[in-house]
Structure formats: C-alpha cells, structure tokens
Amino acid sequence: MAEPDGEPTVPIRCEDCGTETRLPLSEVGETLDRHNEQRHDGEEIAQVDPAIADQLADLVAEDLDLL
C-alpha cells in the first residue's frame, strides 16, 4: 500500500497497546523508537508486522546480492 504521494507504507503493530497502523516507510524507525520509548520504557514492543519485516529483509538482502 502507498500514501497519496506514492511513498510505500508499512504495517506497525503494538500488541501491548492493542494498536495497528500503517506508516510511511520514511517514518517507521523514528516513530517506532518514539512510541517504544514513551510507552514501553524503551523496550521494543511495537514493531513492524513480523511477516512484512521478513519480506523486507529478503528484499534488502537480494538487492545487496547477499542471497
């Protein structure tokens, strides 16, 4: 899925808070860090949907010719 400006979005899930949202790819790291710092004392509770994270890791590895 993509934002109206064409930037892809990534599903983010926080099981402790019971929330799920989509964020523009460029905002994922900063937003996750801020949420986890403010809500979970820095513990990495909120995260990119694990299935999507695995797919992204595969795409990056393939792009870097690591596979």
Side-chain angles (χ1 to χ4, degrees):
M1 194 175 260
E3 288 283 294
D5 65 1
E7 184 174 8
T9 59
V10 178
I12 304 299
R13 184 179 304 169
C14 182
E15 301 220 358
D16 279 9
C17 293
T19 57
E20 187 169 324
T21 191
R22 296 187 76 85
L23 295 172
L25 186 57
S26 63
E27 297 176 17
V28 169
E30 182 179 315
T31 303
L32 278 176
D33 288 346
R34 185 175 55 245
H35 173 88
N36 285 326
E37 190 63 41
Q38 292 174 351
R39 305 280 182 176
H40 308 295
D41 296 323
E43 230 181 301
E44 293 184 16
I45 305 295
Q47 60 184 344
V48 172
D49 183 315
I52 299 298
D54 288 345
Q55 288 177 346
L56 287 172
D58 289 345
L59 290 171
V60 169
E62 186 176 304
D63 192 48
L64 296 174
D65 290 326
L66 299 174
L67 293 178

